[in-house]
Amino acid sequence: MNAVMENILTRRSVRAFEKKPIPAEELDQILQSAIYAPSGMNRQTWQFTVVTDTEKIQELAHAIGKALGREGYDMYQPSAIVITTNERTSRHAIDDNACAMENMFLSAHSFGIGSVWINQLRDCCDVPEVRAILKKWGVPDDHSAYGIAALGYAAPAPEKEIHKTGKIVFVK
């Protein structure tokens, strides 16, 4: 099996992280992989906002938790997050950002860095307390959030049996 296929088949979502920073060089490469993701008509209308300060990450997690009525919400306490946003008017925003997220997850895994897609921001990015934080961090008002890539080194966890389902249909 080639390295790309092995990386794809072995990546898993991580929901418990060690308190260990991600080296800047590796984080930069993970972000480069996002920039190189395909985008509809190659418009690249996205923005990737990177936060590595764990207190700031928890500030956003608290605001999201409050907006959604989820006391104690902490986004699994990652070492870094990448907030993926895109122009509200972009027809391809959801698809573009999904491709960028997948590229980040696969490149993170190639460095031994765990990841998980955080969806909750999508549903509350315009709640005033949440939007104020995003604005403070440079997210444009005309952008919607499509996800957060939570990144960090996986905390030890018991091995789980891998069970993937789905249907593949070949038409000849």
Side-chain angles (χ1 to χ4, degrees):
M1 178 179 321
N2 73 36
V4 172
M5 284 303 297
E6 183 175 350
N7 194 44
I8 291 169
L9 297 179
T10 58
R11 193 211 73 79
R12 299 288 175 270
S13 292
V14 172
R15 291 179 177 84
F17 296 100
E18 293 181 351
K19 294 187 184 317
K20 178 180 170 187
I22 298 169
E25 314 79 52
E26 293 177 4
L27 191 54
D28 287 343
Q29 289 184 57
I30 291 166
L31 293 161
Q32 280 298 309
S33 75
I35 294 291
Y36 276 81
S39 68
M41 301 172 73
N42 198 30
R43 294 210 175 158
Q44 303 175 45
T45 53
W46 48 41
Q47 176 173 309
F48 307 109
T49 304
V50 185
V51 184
T52 57
D53 181 312
T54 55
E55 288 181 20
K56 288 181 179 178
I57 293 169
Q58 289 311 303
E59 174 189 5
L60 179 61
H62 177 74
I64 291 170
K66 184 176 178 188
L68 299 177
R70 292 179 62 183
E71 188 72 29
Y73 181 68
D74 65 5
M75 290 193 285
Y76 311 113
Q77 299 185 24
S79 299
I81 60 171
V82 181
I83 303 166
T84 63
T85 63
N86 210 312
E87 294 174 357
R88 294 178 195 275
T89 57
S90 173
R91 256 181 50 201
H92 306 289
I94 294 171
D95 307 313
D96 293 353
N97 285 46
C99 289
M101 294 276 283
E102 181 68 8
N103 274 15
M104 284 189 281
F105 295 152
L106 291 171
S107 61
H109 181 58
S110 76
F111 291 114
I113 297 167
S115 62
V116 67
W117 188 316
I118 304 286
N119 284 308
Q120 288 77 9
L121 182 59
R122 182 184 61 210
D123 298 328
C124 65
C125 72
D126 289 320
V127 169
E129 291 168 321
V130 175
R131 181 52 72 170
I133 294 168
L134 297 177
K135 186 176 183 100
K136 179 172 62 174
W137 293 349
V139 174
D141 289 335
D142 68 339
H143 274 220
S144 284
Y146 293 98
I148 295 174
L151 305 170
Y153 293 95
E159 288 276 328
K160 288 184 183 177
E161 184 177 326
I162 299 167
H163 181 71
K164 296 290 181 180
T165 61
K167 199 180 254 188
I168 298 173
V169 177
F170 288 97
V171 177
K172 295 182 181 188

